[in-house]
Amino acid sequence: MGHGGEPRRTQAYDGELGAAVARAQDGDEAAFAVAYRIVQPGLLGYLRGLVGDDAEDVASDAWLEIARDLGRFKGDGAGFRGWTATIARHRALDHLRRRKVRPRSAALEQDVLDMPGPHSTHDQALEAMSTERALELVRGLPRDQAEAVLLRVVVGLDGPAAARVLGKRPGAVRTAAYRGLKRLARQLGAEGVTDEAPRTLGESK
């Protein structure tokens, strides 16, 4: 499997992130703020996919726990991303249990269908993922697919790291992410694709 779909934007920061975390572990509060700024956007996107409008609250709880347990963390920048995602996920699942609700699944609303057409590919689906509407769409995916996509694309974890967060085999997570992205690409391109559906999506991998 090629690495065409690897999220590069976040991984570019992993060296900087690892250095900030190391300084934060030595008690440097400014460094902790740097780590927070790097990690928070992806973490918030992931939590939005799990708990919707309560994402900010759940993220605050997660960061309290992250700050408290920082001394126990061992690893590099990419490792920190995975560790924080695991903590955020546990907080989100607790939150959902307290609410006794399933993660909301989003209806396919018209404005979602207005997203970039007609030749939506895997990559365009990835690019569009940063938008609120795309997050809404992700929430309509089956839970395993939604989480795999969010961890890979929004949090920026590689396959093995995402698998560790979810407690699954990497192959299962890779398959779930692929299915989820394929489904998103179909939905994002739903408007103009009817006449000439691109055949390349399945075969290009």
Side-chain angles (χ1 to χ4, degrees), residues 6-193:
E6 295 290 336
R8 277 181 212 78
R9 285 181 306 249
T10 45
Q11 286 164 353
Y13 295 117
D14 280 345
E16 187 189 339
L17 177 57
V21 170
R23 290 198 309 275
Q25 288 183 308
D26 290 334
D28 181 339
E29 283 177 26
F32 187 79
V34 170
Y36 172 86
R37 276 201 304 277
I38 294 174
V39 172
Q40 171 71 348
L43 213 55
L44 206 50
Y46 175 47
L47 288 171
R48 263 200 205 107
L50 290 178
V51 300
D53 298 336
D54 297 327
E56 301 269 358
D57 293 343
V58 174
S60 301
D61 290 347
W63 279 105
L64 287 173
E65 189 173 330
I66 290 162
R68 190 192 70 206
D69 293 344
L70 188 64
R72 289 215 286 267
F73 169 74
K74 290 184 179 55
D76 58 6
F80 185 73
R81 227 178 258 290
W83 183 69
T84 53
T86 302
I87 290 174
R89 179 173 198 264
H90 288 150
R91 292 279 66 82
L93 297 181
D94 287 348
H95 177 84
L96 291 172
R97 272 195 293 273
R98 280 200 305 276
R99 284 265 186 286
K100 297 250 188 312
V101 294
R102 294 269 159 281
R104 267 187 306 146
S105 69
L108 249 184
E109 288 158 20
Q110 186 53 44
D111 66 348
V112 171
L113 295 175
D114 294 339
M115 289 189 78
H119 303 291
S120 265
T121 62
H122 214 84
D123 291 333
Q124 276 167 296
L126 293 185
E127 282 312 306
M129 281 292 309
S130 53
T131 68
E132 285 298 317
R133 288 191 215 148
L135 276 177
E136 277 298 307
L137 260 189
V138 173
R139 301 186 60 181
L141 293 173
R143 171 78 162 270
D144 65 322
Q145 292 180 20
E147 285 209 72
V149 168
L150 289 163
L151 286 171
R152 295 297 309 274
V153 179
V154 180
V155 181
L157 300 183
D158 65 16
R164 280 195 299 277
V165 171
L166 297 173
K168 293 185 173 168
R169 294 190 326 284
V173 174
R174 204 165 44 238
T175 302
Y178 177 63
R179 289 198 178 127
L181 285 169
K182 202 164 154 178
R183 194 159 166 171
L184 281 177
R186 256 207 318 277
Q187 291 176 336
L188 291 169
E191 265 213 309
V193 170

